[in-house]
Amino acid sequence: MAGNALSRAGVNVRIIDKRPSKVMAGQADGISPRTIEMLQSYGMADRLLEEGVQVHMLAFYNPRRDGKGVERTSRISDVNAPTARWQFEIALHQGAIESIFLEAMKKHGLEVERPYFPTALEISQDDAELNDPTSYPVKVTVQRVLETSNKANGDSQASHNGVQSNAFESNTVIQADDPEETEIIKAKFVIGGDGAHSWVRKQLGIKMEGETTQHVWGVVDLVPETDFPDVRHRTLIHSDAGSCMIIPREGDEVRLYIQLAEGLEHGAEGRLDRSKVGPEKVMAIAKEAVKPWKLEFPNPISWWTVYVIGQMVASRFSAHQRVFIAGDACHTHSPKAGQGMNASMNDTHNLSWKIAHVLRGWADLDILKTYEFERKKFAHDLIDFDKRLASMFSEKAISEDNLNGVVPEEFQDLLKSMGGLTSGIGIEYAPSLITDNTYQSFAPGLMIGHRVQPQIIIRVADCRAYEMQDLIISDTKWKLLFFVGDPKQEKQALVVKRLGEYMERPDSFLSKFSPKNSREAVFTMLIVSSTPKDDADYTDIHPGLLTHWSKAFTDDVSVDKKSGGHAYETYGVLTTTGAFAAVRPDGYVGYVSSLEGVVDGTVDKYFSRFMKEQS
Amino acid sequence: MAGNALSRAGVNVRIIDKRPSKVMAGQADGISPRTIEMLQSYGMADRLLEEGVQVHMLAFYNPRRDGKGVERTSRISDVNAPTARWQFEIALHQGAIESIFLEAMKKHGLEVERPYFPTALEISQDDAELNDPTSYPVKVTVQRVLETSNKANGDSQASHNGVQSNAFESNTVIQADDPEETEIIKAKFVIGGDGAHSWVRKQLGIKMEGETTQHVWGVVDLVPETDFPDVRHRTLIHSDAGSCMIIPREGDEVRLYIQLAEGLEHGAEGRLDRSKVGPEKVMAIAKEAVKPWKLEFPNPISWWTVYVIGQMVASRFSAHQRVFIAGDACHTHSPKAGQGMNASMNDTHNLSWKIAHVLRGWADLDILKTYEFERKKFAHDLIDFDKRLASMFSEKAISEDNLNGVVPEEFQDLLKSMGGLTSGIGIEYAPSLITDNTYQSFAPGLMIGHRVQPQIIIRVADCRAYEMQDLIISDTKWKLLFFVGDPKQEKQALVVKRLGEYMERPDSFLSKFSPKNSREAVFTMLIVSSTPKDDADYTDIHPGLLTHWSKAFTDDVSVDKKSGGHAYETYGVLTTTGAFAAVRPDGYVGYVSSLEGVVDGTVDKYFSRFMKEQS
């Protein structure tokens, strides 16, 4: 994610991976609605939507009163985030997702170097060097891996009929001792996206904080033979035989998740007891759990794993704002909420544009501090939720014999209430150097610290319908949204003219923070008027504001009447006064003001806090 | 189009083209809404939608009363076909469209052989041979082109500052006399898609019939400098200086169409007078026509052409149902309605599945006669419209001095009223061997002879929303739609069971007309129930009807509530009784009946008319 975002931005990136090849099957696979929106902003959602399985519904099964197995107690929407552009999750195996990234990166000239691993990480202690954005204060020594060893090799428990699994996978590698295979890389920035057992995190001496309770999870991917009707929905089953989660996978495949009651040798912090865990155990519990329906396994397993997981967050996400950790290196939690890959990809989506800004000399190094500030809070929220979910999932359902059991309605309500978090749609970045909610009232629907919610607007020149989110692409540029009302009205025509003239001035924030003769390098101006499309003319917008006919939009229904309309209402903007919004390069609203605030210097003050004047 | 459809169907195809390379720029470029639907059924619309310009609105300009140029009198939707899935036209240069086809064909192992041209065409006169679908009754002699000559070479009128044009392009080629470059191809079928001057048509002795009136058209593609506000809409301008049509093109380019008043040397049937036509003439008229707006041409021309066109239809479209002509070889008309490429592509879309059926021994040779029957009527309708449009377009607008001029409202009304024809959405194939409207009343919304109108339905197993049209793909299979009502109701459960049991019988039409052990080779069964999605289970459909979980759908709104619902209403089916429809492999409804008609042999009788029983 970081490599793709940064190489797309033209940054010179190297990716070192100790795996000899990309992941082929299994592993993380759930893509949340916000992650789809985010990947769409990089032009990467098409393949995801084409290849992935869509999970629309969540079905709940609980014990029947007559004791004869389970019954469906409800089906609800899997996503509970009304403004999500895509109201479903995508399931796609990690190999396919990696392949989408590898394809995208290749277009930007970046390929993963593997198998390589780091042996030393050194950060300069010189403050002057650390504070100079053009310096290379980090040294990483890397070695080519000649041979990998996996402790599980030769261990019959770790493979099932020869099927690949990463259960018990070791982090040990046999090092190359040929000095020619050693390289020292000098870097301006380093990001450790190296997983729950992060080597980078250890080098930085960063501790994981949180509960030490350990849970054992078993996962199996296969094509079952079944008459269970909800096998293509996400299904949560509380049965007397145990709890089971079913997730539909590509083709006719499904994934079975079981939280295993046992499996640790010496209490909660011990090692995996390999005699008690394995795919047969997972399949046996699942088979019992779906009764009275049939669940047979005549086909070979595609992939499986068993793993132990804690619920923890790293104490820091960075050292000197020069070395960062991201993803599982920062936060670990259960797979139940399907958040692993989503939280991780959104970490570096948040970080990448900030690094690009610093590298280009557009912004101060200080903006990098907002990475930990923004993403750590999210990680804590996620793990708090995970704890509540974990206990409700693993406990048995309430019954006459078990009055302390889980009440199905409460379990369902918990999932519903956390829809903003699990979908990623509700993520809110708190006020900081780059996020200021002082004038929120001019556009309450453009929630500061939130991503811009979807809205179809109509391009004036050709009446083509556009999704606002598709205009806010991840190109490292700020999007300046001007809601100018109806310029066919004399008053608004004057406002538009004044804005256009201001933007052309050499002392406007646009001129100050843009490189010379490159007025569109840092900011993209998008105009949203309120003139009905039948009357609107793009020629009504002053050229100081409208750099190309394609950037004038209006709030109206589409020509086919199927979409659009009510943009001002959605964003809470009055057509009589209009509003201005600065959307951060990651798609989150950074600032809102009146149109007056653009010309009177209010917006200038906001950008001056972290942007650097260009000469 | 034919090559792609047939090679996709696994037919052994060769394409001979005398052009040395694919078209690079200009030429035909308008894709109508029905053509987008049709290309989508081949999985080819994505690239078209991504690369093409969308034309949503049609603007009308007429003379101002004060005589000072023109003014906008109205803007209307460019497409007037309420059920069109895409309510806009696409403009994309022919080179890009050809490239989409070349890419698709390559996947099926087919490439264009060029430059090659045919020198002889011979059809067997032996009836037995002609009536044997396995015979090769056509012999085509082809030669490799060693050198092409273009009469316009060296003629300064034919190029403008060195820009390529096909104006005055000659059909003469210098033939290879090396016998090794000559090949005789024996074919089961031959299709001549070789344009208005079709060599194949001439070999078959087929005449063009219709008005001999000839019109001269001038076309220029360029990036103008203008403040004209409708330069990104399709715009029809009636000015005192002449009539002009503007079509937006890729990027900032526009196409200017002018019907030239003069240009023929010796009256209506003469040759082009090259001193009177050329891009300067087109640009000069356009510049005058848009006044008082500015229209300057500081940039080089991308492409231009001037051509003479008649309004004619071929007397026959085939010889012995073994050699066919298609596209401009069958019908020529003006470019105003943007129909050239659309009519042509839909010709062979209609023909290809019929040829595939005959080649596979699924259907009798007789079905091939429906090609001319269906497409000739359309060609005549199109040319009747073109004549009315042509006269209204070229005449001046009504004024005090010109009381016989065109009334703007009447011109607009003509275009609106012909929306079904120009969009392609209204195309209706009359009753024939393969199209029978006897029981239309069971599903009045599935209009027999029409394409199936768009409708979102919900897949039962995973609640994913699907466009019905995307289930009716161009895979040469018949789509059998079973609207079964709600199988959660006892009565409908029995109906579904009875249908399933019938389909499994060896004497069902499905068994009879499908190759042994290949029950899904010829027919795809799709089930549309009316059970609310929250309750529906795909396991409710009898396996004789439901061959895979992915083929059960229900009529409900989508989980995100944004689409779907009212499918039974759209198609006019009662949920209490249900209905059956047989959709032809080209997406047009061939037959409708009651569900009872499936099991009582009514549907069997329909298919027995043209399908062959498989052993």
Side-chain angles (χ1 to χ4, degrees):
Chain A
M1 182 67 214
N4 180 58
L6 288 167
S7 61
R8 189 176 199 257
V11 174
N12 184 9
V13 185
R14 288 182 66 177
I15 303 184
I16 306 302
D17 189 356
K18 76 172 186 207
R19 284 184 200 256
S21 66
K22 78 171 183 67
V23 168
M24 300 311 287
Q27 306 242 16
D29 67 341
I31 307 281
S32 75
R34 174 56 195 158
T35 304
I36 310 175
E37 291 182 0
M38 182 270 282
L39 291 172
Q40 168 74 1
S41 75
Y42 288 92
M44 293 165 74
D46 282 359
R47 231 184 106 184
L48 195 74
L49 289 163
E50 194 182 312
E51 295 179 19
V53 172
Q54 296 181 8
V55 183
H56 289 270
M57 298 287 270
L58 175 56
F60 293 90
Y61 280 72
N62 284 288
R64 292 164 58 124
R65 289 199 167 226
D66 63 9
K68 293 176 180 164
V70 294
E71 63 186 354
R72 182 167 66 219
T73 44
S74 64
R75 270 182 192 156
I76 62 170
S77 169
D78 184 52
V79 167
N80 190 30
T83 73
R85 180 167 176 194
W86 288 280
Q87 303 247 350
F88 51 82
E89 287 185 276
I90 289 180
L92 185 62
H93 74 89
Q94 191 170 330
I97 294 162
E98 283 191 26
S99 155
I100 292 172
F101 274 92
L102 293 174
E103 182 186 80
M105 290 196 307
K106 208 168 181 180
K107 281 187 201 150
H108 316 132
L110 179 62
E111 298 199 50
V112 179
E113 298 172 57
R114 59 176 132 214
Y116 271 96
F117 71 103
T119 57
L121 176 81
E122 200 185 312
I123 310 175
S124 165
Q125 300 300 311
D126 177 354
D127 276 352
E129 195 176 357
L130 287 170
N131 291 328
D132 173 7
T134 65
S135 73
Y136 292 79
V138 195
K139 267 197 280 190
V140 185
T141 310
V142 301
Q143 279 196 324
R144 190 168 176 81
V145 180
L146 293 187
E147 194 188 328
T148 60
S149 94
N150 185 327
K151 280 190 195 159
N153 287 352
D155 181 338
S156 65
Q157 286 284 338
S159 76
H160 178 86
N161 300 328
V163 175
Q164 188 199 4
S165 163
N166 66 354
F168 318 113
E169 191 181 284
S170 162
N171 287 301
T172 315
V173 286
I174 301 209
Q175 300 184 5
D177 49 13
D178 180 352
E180 285 187 30
E181 296 285 346
T182 294
E183 186 188 359
I184 295 171
I185 303 172
K186 288 186 166 188
K188 288 178 174 167
F189 298 99
V190 170
I191 302 173
D194 50 348
H197 303 284
S198 173
W199 176 89
V200 174
R201 188 181 68 221
K202 281 171 199 144
Q203 303 310 302
L204 302 179
I206 297 174
K207 296 274 169 265
M208 293 302 278
E209 298 173 339
E211 300 270 338
T212 53
T213 314
Q214 305 273 291
H215 296 289
V216 181
W217 282 86
V219 190
V220 178
D221 285 351
L222 45 57
V223 177
E225 196 174 286
T226 185
D227 56 2
F228 186 68
D230 285 277
V231 80
R232 303 307 303 168
H233 292 137
R234 185 150 81 102
T235 301
L236 293 169
I237 303 165
H238 269 105
S239 85
D240 293 333
S243 298
C244 174
M245 180 161 72
I246 298 178
I247 308 221
R249 304 300 315 259
E250 297 88 336
D252 292 339
E253 203 163 271
V254 302
R255 170 168 286 189
L256 305 172
Y257 270 108
I258 303 280
Q259 186 170 343
L260 297 162
E262 298 174 90
L264 287 178
E265 264 171 14
H266 307 293
E269 290 187 73
R271 297 173 57 85
L272 274 178
D273 178 352
R274 294 172 198 177
S275 67
K276 289 187 181 156
V277 294
E280 293 85 357
K281 182 86 182 171
V282 172
M283 287 149 76
I285 295 174
K287 185 174 177 159
E288 283 302 308
V290 306
K291 280 186 175 171
W293 283 280
K294 185 183 76 172
L295 184 62
E296 305 285 347
F297 307 106
N299 303 306
I301 290 170
S302 311
W303 182 80
W304 70 277
T305 191
V306 176
Y307 55 94
V308 184
I309 210 130
Q311 293 165 320
M312 292 186 284
V313 178
S315 59
R316 287 181 292 127
F317 283 21
S318 154
H320 305 288
Q321 315 307 325
R322 288 297 194 160
V323 181
F324 300 90
I325 51 173
D328 285 2
C330 300
H331 36 70
T332 62
H333 45 85
S334 89
K336 272 177 309 293
Q339 291 305 304
M341 191 159 46
N342 296 291
S344 300
M345 291 201 285
N346 281 291
D347 282 346
T348 46
H349 174 60
N350 180 291
L351 177 59
S352 300
W353 71 269
K354 296 170 185 173
I355 291 182
H357 267 48
V358 170
L359 287 171
R360 290 172 183 158
W362 292 356
D364 298 319
L365 270 161
D366 276 355
I367 65 163
L368 297 175
K369 290 182 183 162
T370 63
Y371 165 61
E372 178 178 313
F373 175 78
E374 297 185 346
R375 295 305 297 171
K376 199 175 184 184
K377 178 178 176 298
F378 172 74
H380 278 293
D381 290 349
L382 180 58
I383 280 158
D384 289 346
F385 165 64
D386 192 46
K387 285 179 196 164
R388 294 166 66 192
L389 185 60
S391 68
M392 275 194 149
F393 182 73
S394 51
E395 276 169 32
K396 289 200 175 179
I398 193 167
S399 69
E400 281 173 23
D401 306 334
N402 178 22
L403 291 173
N404 292 323
V406 177
V407 181
E409 291 73 20
E410 286 179 9
F411 184 47
Q412 183 176 315
D413 287 349
L414 170 68
L415 282 164
K416 266 193 184 171
S417 69
M418 299 308 284
L421 181 80
T422 54
S423 65
I425 298 300
I427 291 174
E428 180 178 350
Y429 295 139
S432 70
L433 185 67
I434 56 172
T435 305
D436 179 333
N437 61 13
T438 311
Y439 300 107
Q440 175 72 80
S441 60
F442 285 101
L446 285 162
M447 284 176 286
I448 293 161
H450 284 249
R451 99 322 182 192
V452 174
Q453 57 177 309
Q455 169 67 45
I456 300 288
I457 48 180
I458 309 304
R459 190 158 70 178
V460 173
D462 60 0
C463 288
R464 181 168 173 170
Y466 274 83
E467 170 51 61
M468 173 67 96
Q469 286 195 344
D470 286 340
L471 305 171
I472 301 175
I473 54 175
S474 288
D475 59 359
T476 74
K477 295 186 193 184
W478 290 78
K479 310 300 175 302
L480 308 179
L481 310 184
F482 296 89
F483 294 86
V484 298
D486 179 5
K488 291 282 185 200
Q489 309 294 322
E490 202 179 339
K491 187 187 146 231
Q492 289 313 111
L494 286 170
V495 170
V496 165
K497 185 163 171 278
R498 206 165 151 228
L499 286 165
E501 286 169 354
Y502 167 77
M503 285 299 170
E504 284 177 339
R505 275 164 46 185
D507 63 340
S508 72
F509 72 86
L510 185 82
S511 306
K512 271 163 58 186
F513 300 122
S514 299
K516 215 158 192 98
N517 302 322
S518 230
R519 295 176 63 81
E520 293 177 82
V522 183
F523 303 99
T524 297
M525 293 184 284
L526 300 166
I527 322 304
V528 184
S529 70
S530 64
T531 316
K533 64 180 180 298
D534 285 358
D535 303 324
D537 293 309
Y538 74 91
T539 45
D540 291 337
I541 310 296
H542 189 281
L545 212 52
L546 188 72
T547 53
H548 189 260
W549 60 262
S550 61
K551 292 177 182 172
F553 297 85
T554 195
D555 179 16
D556 201 346
V557 293
S558 61
V559 177
D560 66 8
K561 299 181 186 71
K562 287 180 193 163
S563 61
H566 305 292
Y568 277 67
E569 194 182 315
T570 301
Y571 296 135
V573 178
L574 295 177
T575 55
T576 46
T577 53
F580 165 83
V583 181
R584 303 169 10 167
D586 58 0
Y588 288 75
V589 183
Y591 195 67
V592 161
S593 84
S594 64
L595 291 175
E596 188 58 32
V598 175
V599 290
D600 74 7
T602 311
V603 176
D604 191 331
K605 270 188 211 128
Y606 163 69
F607 281 113
S608 299
R609 282 162 30 180
F610 54 90
M611 295 293 277
K612 288 164 90 166
E613 229 172 288
Q614 303 297 303
S615 57
Chain B
M1 182 69 214
N4 180 58
L6 289 166
S7 61
R8 189 176 200 257
V11 173
N12 184 7
V13 185
R14 288 182 66 177
I15 304 183
I16 305 301
D17 189 356
K18 77 170 186 211
R19 284 183 201 258
S21 66
K22 78 171 182 67
V23 168
M24 301 311 288
Q27 304 242 17
D29 67 341
I31 306 280
S32 75
R34 175 56 196 157
T35 305
I36 310 174
E37 291 182 1
M38 182 269 281
L39 290 173
Q40 168 74 1
S41 75
Y42 288 92
M44 293 165 74
D46 282 358
R47 232 185 105 184
L48 195 73
L49 290 164
E50 194 182 311
E51 295 179 19
V53 171
Q54 296 181 8
V55 183
H56 289 271
M57 298 288 271
L58 176 56
F60 293 90
Y61 279 73
N62 284 287
R64 292 163 57 124
R65 289 199 166 226
D66 64 9
K68 293 177 179 166
V70 294
E71 63 186 355
R72 182 167 67 217
T73 45
S74 63
R75 271 183 192 155
I76 62 171
S77 169
D78 184 53
V79 167
N80 190 31
T83 73
R85 181 168 175 193
W86 288 279
Q87 302 248 349
F88 51 83
E89 286 185 276
I90 288 180
L92 185 63
H93 73 90
Q94 191 170 328
I97 294 162
E98 283 191 25
S99 156
I100 293 171
F101 275 92
L102 293 176
E103 182 187 80
M105 290 196 307
K106 207 167 181 180
K107 282 188 201 150
H108 317 132
L110 179 61
E111 298 198 49
V112 179
E113 298 172 57
R114 59 176 132 214
Y116 271 96
F117 71 101
T119 57
L121 175 82
E122 199 184 313
I123 311 175
S124 165
Q125 300 302 312
D126 178 355
D127 276 351
E129 195 177 357
L130 287 170
N131 292 327
D132 173 6
T134 65
S135 73
Y136 292 80
V138 195
K139 267 198 282 189
V140 185
T141 310
V142 300
Q143 279 196 324
R144 191 168 175 79
V145 180
L146 293 186
E147 194 186 330
T148 60
S149 95
N150 185 327
K151 279 187 196 162
N153 286 352
D155 181 337
S156 65
Q157 285 285 337
S159 75
H160 178 84
N161 300 328
V163 175
Q164 186 198 7
S165 161
N166 66 353
F168 318 114
E169 192 181 283
S170 162
N171 286 301
T172 315
V173 286
I174 301 212
Q175 301 185 6
D177 50 15
D178 180 351
E180 285 186 28
E181 296 285 344
T182 294
E183 186 189 358
I184 295 170
I185 303 173
K186 288 187 165 189
K188 287 178 175 168
F189 297 99
V190 169
I191 302 173
D194 51 348
H197 303 284
S198 173
W199 176 90
V200 174
R201 188 181 68 219
K202 281 172 199 142
Q203 303 310 302
L204 303 179
I206 297 174
K207 295 274 168 267
M208 292 302 277
E209 297 173 341
E211 299 270 338
T212 53
T213 313
Q214 305 274 290
H215 296 288
V216 182
W217 282 85
V219 190
V220 178
D221 286 350
L222 45 56
V223 177
E225 196 174 287
T226 184
D227 57 3
F228 186 69
D230 285 277
V231 80
R232 304 306 305 168
H233 292 135
R234 186 150 80 102
T235 301
L236 294 169
I237 303 164
H238 269 105
S239 85
D240 294 333
S243 298
C244 174
M245 180 161 72
I246 298 178
I247 308 222
R249 304 300 315 260
E250 296 88 336
D252 292 339
E253 203 163 270
V254 302
R255 170 167 288 189
L256 305 172
Y257 271 107
I258 302 280
Q259 186 170 342
L260 297 162
E262 300 175 89
L264 288 176
E265 265 171 13
H266 308 293
E269 289 187 75
R271 297 172 56 85
L272 274 179
D273 177 352
R274 295 172 198 178
S275 67
K276 290 186 182 156
V277 293
E280 293 84 357
K281 183 85 181 171
V282 173
M283 286 148 77
I285 295 173
K287 184 175 177 158
E288 283 302 309
V290 307
K291 281 186 176 173
W293 284 279
K294 185 183 78 171
L295 183 63
E296 305 286 346
F297 307 107
N299 303 305
I301 290 169
S302 311
W303 182 81
W304 71 276
T305 191
V306 176
Y307 54 94
V308 184
I309 211 129
Q311 293 165 319
M312 291 186 285
V313 179
S315 59
R316 288 182 292 126
F317 284 20
S318 154
H320 305 289
Q321 315 307 328
R322 289 295 195 160
V323 182
F324 300 90
I325 51 173
D328 285 3
C330 299
H331 37 70
T332 62
H333 45 84
S334 88
K336 272 177 311 293
Q339 291 304 304
M341 190 159 48
N342 296 291
S344 300
M345 291 202 285
N346 281 290
D347 282 346
T348 46
H349 174 60
N350 180 291
L351 177 58
S352 300
W353 71 269
K354 297 170 184 173
I355 291 180
H357 267 49
V358 170
L359 286 171
R360 290 173 184 159
W362 291 356
D364 298 319
L365 271 160
D366 276 354
I367 65 163
L368 297 175
K369 290 182 183 162
T370 63
Y371 165 62
E372 177 178 313
F373 175 77
E374 295 183 336
R375 295 304 297 171
K376 200 176 183 182
K377 179 179 175 299
F378 171 74
H380 278 293
D381 289 350
L382 181 59
I383 280 158
D384 289 345
F385 165 64
D386 192 48
K387 285 179 194 163
R388 293 166 66 192
L389 184 62
S391 68
M392 276 194 147
F393 181 74
S394 50
E395 276 170 32
K396 291 201 175 178
I398 193 168
S399 68
E400 281 174 21
D401 306 333
N402 179 21
L403 291 173
N404 292 323
V406 177
V407 181
E409 291 73 20
E410 286 179 8
F411 184 47
Q412 183 176 316
D413 288 349
L414 171 67
L415 282 165
K416 266 193 184 172
S417 69
M418 299 308 283
L421 181 80
T422 53
S423 65
I425 298 300
I427 291 173
E428 179 177 351
Y429 295 138
S432 70
L433 186 66
I434 57 172
T435 306
D436 179 332
N437 61 12
T438 312
Y439 300 108
Q440 176 72 80
S441 60
F442 285 101
L446 284 162
M447 285 177 286
I448 293 162
H450 284 249
R451 99 326 182 189
V452 174
Q453 56 178 311
Q455 169 68 44
I456 300 288
I457 49 181
I458 309 303
R459 191 158 69 178
V460 172
D462 60 1
C463 288
R464 181 168 173 169
Y466 274 83
E467 170 50 62
M468 174 67 96
Q469 286 195 343
D470 286 340
L471 304 171
I472 301 175
I473 54 175
S474 288
D475 58 359
T476 74
K477 295 187 192 183
W478 290 77
K479 308 302 175 300
L480 307 179
L481 310 185
F482 296 88
F483 292 86
V484 296
D486 179 5
K488 291 283 184 200
Q489 309 294 322
E490 202 179 340
K491 187 186 146 230
Q492 290 313 113
L494 286 169
V495 170
V496 166
K497 185 162 172 278
R498 204 164 152 230
L499 286 165
E501 286 169 354
Y502 168 78
M503 284 300 170
E504 284 178 337
R505 275 164 46 186
D507 64 340
S508 71
F509 73 87
L510 184 82
S511 305
K512 271 163 59 184
F513 300 121
S514 299
K516 216 161 192 96
N517 302 322
S518 232
R519 294 176 62 81
E520 293 177 82
V522 184
F523 303 98
T524 297
M525 293 185 283
L526 300 167
I527 322 303
V528 185
S529 71
S530 63
T531 316
K533 65 180 179 299
D534 285 358
D535 303 323
D537 293 309
Y538 75 91
T539 45
D540 291 337
I541 310 297
H542 188 281
L545 212 53
L546 187 72
T547 53
H548 190 260
W549 60 262
S550 61
K551 292 178 181 171
F553 297 84
T554 195
D555 179 15
D556 201 345
V557 293
S558 61
V559 178
D560 66 8
K561 300 181 185 71
K562 288 180 192 162
S563 61
H566 305 292
Y568 276 67
E569 193 181 315
T570 301
Y571 296 135
V573 178
L574 295 177
T575 55
T576 46
T577 54
F580 165 83
V583 182
R584 302 167 14 165
D586 57 1
Y588 287 75
V589 183
Y591 195 67
V592 160
S593 84
S594 63
L595 291 175
E596 188 58 31
V598 175
V599 289
D600 74 8
T602 310
V603 176
D604 190 331
K605 269 187 210 131
Y606 163 70
F607 281 114
S608 299
R609 282 163 28 180
F610 54 91
M611 295 295 276
K612 289 165 88 164
E613 229 172 290
Q614 303 298 302
S615 57

